């Protein structure tokens, strides 16, 4: 439990840093940054697989793929679901959609809690239920204030739960699943980079800093993903969903303070109840940590 909570918080901090990191990669587009994340993830994950001695697990999946077709569409679906989120995460900060995506990540834990409760019969503590209830006040306010959510918000809210449910159904280890996700996304990444204009060499010649920033992108994103997916398997789905409130808080402040996206005064009443929920969850987590 403690390790899962620590991995969840650490991954949230890395993802928040990555949110701002994309703007440092100018003139790369969101699609190009997504492609580089995929390609650079493979060697980084390979190192982790070797360190954890997980190549036998991957070889077992390869044998299953050779013996039948049933696993192919499931792995392709898993890769597509994750790929959509990776693309949106790199695209949004460059197109003034960072706050919309951060709102989606605020709502994601609520949807994960509902999935855990109604699909897996998981139970929440009283503090966790209180946190969810307080957060729902902010969600209700946003519906009343705006009447709807942007497509970027909806993609996060409704795109991630099927991904995590599919991963649980596949019963694959985090590294194994992540390896095949990135492997199946590689052809799309190659097509994106091959069609870019100007080419990589021209971009590096004009902006030499990219030579160091692009590899670092792979290190940060791969580490964050591994920690996030590992936490998803260590924690009950409901608790994992509530811990997910840490990331959108950090994403919000990155978008608001560093990316310069504005917000109206009435919108604060959407976020304040959700932040109160974060305090409740953090206090309970600290109590559990000290008690054990």
């Amino acid at each position: 439990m403690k390790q899962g909570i620590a991995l969840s918080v650490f991954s949230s901090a890395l993802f928040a840093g990555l949110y701002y990191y994309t703007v440092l990669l100018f003139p790369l587009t969101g699609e190009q940054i997504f492609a580089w994340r995929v390609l650079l993830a493979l060697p980084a994950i390979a190192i982790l697989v070797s360190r954890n001695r997980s190549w036998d697990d991957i070889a077992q999946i390869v044998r299953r793929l050779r013996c039948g077709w049933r696993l192919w569409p499931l792995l392709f679906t898993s890769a597509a679901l994750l790929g959509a989120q990776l693309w949106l995460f790199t695209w949004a900060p460059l197109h003034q959609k960072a706050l919309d995506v951060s709102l989606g990540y605020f709502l994601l834990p609520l949807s994960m809690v509902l999935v855990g409760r109604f699909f897996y019969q998981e139970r929440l503590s009283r503090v966790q239920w209180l946190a969810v209830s307080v957060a729902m006040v902010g969600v209700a306010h946003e519906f009343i204030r705006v009447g709807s959510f942007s497509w970027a918000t909806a993609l996060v809210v409704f795109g991630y739960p099927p991904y995590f449910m599919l991963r649980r159904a596949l019963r694959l280890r985090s590294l194994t699943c992540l390896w095949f996700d990135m492997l199946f996304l590689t052809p799309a990444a190659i097509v994106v980079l091959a069609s870019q204009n100007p080419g990589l060499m021209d971009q590096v010649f004009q902006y030499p800093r990219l030579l160091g920033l692009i590899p670092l992108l792979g290190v940060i994103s791969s580490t964050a993903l591994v920690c996030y997916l590992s936490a998803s398997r260590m924690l009950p789905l409901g608790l994992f969903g509530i811990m997910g409130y840490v990331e959108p808080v950090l994403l919000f402040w990155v978008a608001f303070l560093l990316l310069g996206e504005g917000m109206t005064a009435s919108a604060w009443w959407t976020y304040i109840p959700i932040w109160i929920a974060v305090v409740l969850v953090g206090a309970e987590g600290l109590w559990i940590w000290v008690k054990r």
Side-chain angles (χ1 to χ4, degrees):
M1 181 74 74
K2 293 181 180 179
Q3 185 178 4
I5 293 174
L7 286 173
S8 178
V9 173
F10 184 59
S11 69
S12 296
L14 288 178
F15 278 126
L18 188 63
Y19 215 37
Y20 178 74
Y21 192 82
T22 56
V23 304
L24 303 179
L25 295 172
F26 178 86
L28 298 186
T29 65
E31 290 75 17
Q32 291 170 345
I33 298 173
F34 157 75
W36 278 116
R37 282 189 69 182
V38 172
L39 293 181
L40 293 172
L42 281 177
I45 296 172
I47 295 175
L48 293 174
V49 170
S50 298
R51 183 176 181 181
N52 288 273
R53 300 178 180 179
S54 300
W55 286 114
D56 289 341
D57 295 333
I58 292 176
Q60 183 179 1
I61 300 302
V62 171
R63 288 192 293 269
R64 289 175 59 186
L65 291 172
R66 289 177 178 177
C67 294
W69 60 270
R70 295 180 181 275
L71 189 58
W72 284 93
L74 296 178
L75 291 180
F76 271 119
T77 301
S78 175
L81 289 171
L82 180 61
Q85 301 300 332
L86 295 180
W87 165 78
L88 180 63
F89 198 87
T90 57
W91 180 88
L94 303 178
H95 294 83
Q96 295 295 300
K97 291 291 185 180
L99 281 178
D100 289 344
V101 172
S102 71
L103 181 58
Y105 279 95
F106 275 123
L107 296 176
L108 177 59
L110 289 176
S111 65
M112 296 294 289
V113 165
L114 293 176
V115 169
R117 179 66 182 88
F118 293 106
F119 286 89
Y120 299 100
Q121 289 74 50
E122 294 181 355
R123 294 184 177 182
L124 300 179
S125 68
R126 292 181 179 179
V127 174
Q128 291 168 353
W129 274 119
L130 177 61
V132 171
S133 300
V134 172
M136 289 183 67
V137 173
V139 173
H141 176 270
E142 184 66 13
F143 271 110
I144 295 173
R145 186 180 73 90
V146 180
S148 63
F149 293 104
S150 74
W151 64 268
T153 302
L155 182 57
V156 175
V157 174
F158 299 110
Y160 261 124
Y163 173 70
F164 287 114
M165 293 175 70
L166 179 58
R167 284 187 65 254
R168 290 208 167 195
L170 289 172
R171 299 181 182 275
L172 298 179
R173 294 184 178 181
S174 298
L175 278 177
T176 303
C177 187
L178 186 56
W179 170 263
F180 282 100
D181 285 337
M182 294 303 178
L183 189 64
F184 280 30
L185 288 171
T186 295
I190 293 175
V191 169
V192 169
L193 293 180
S195 61
Q196 70 181 25
N197 187 26
L200 174 62
M201 295 307 298
D202 293 332
Q203 289 178 328
V204 171
F205 181 78
Q206 188 174 1
Y207 300 93
R209 56 187 173 79
L210 293 177
L211 198 59
L213 291 178
I214 290 177
L216 185 57
L217 170 72
V219 174
I220 297 174
S221 61
S222 298
T223 303
L225 270 175
V226 169
C227 292
Y228 187 66
L229 296 178
S230 296
S232 74
R233 293 190 63 87
M234 293 180 182
L235 298 175
L237 195 59
L239 178 57
F240 173 67
I242 291 183
M243 287 299 299
Y245 279 123
V246 175
E247 181 178 338
V249 168
L250 299 178
L251 294 181
F252 169 83
W253 287 111
V254 169
F256 185 71
L257 297 177
L258 301 181
L259 298 177
E261 293 195 18
M263 190 173 65
T264 63
S266 61
W268 286 102
W269 293 106
T270 295
Y271 289 93
I272 288 176
I274 296 175
W275 291 339
I276 294 175
V278 172
V279 172
L280 291 172
V281 173
E284 184 187 40
L286 181 61
W287 170 253
I288 293 174
W289 189 289
V290 172
K291 188 176 180 180
R292 292 188 178 183

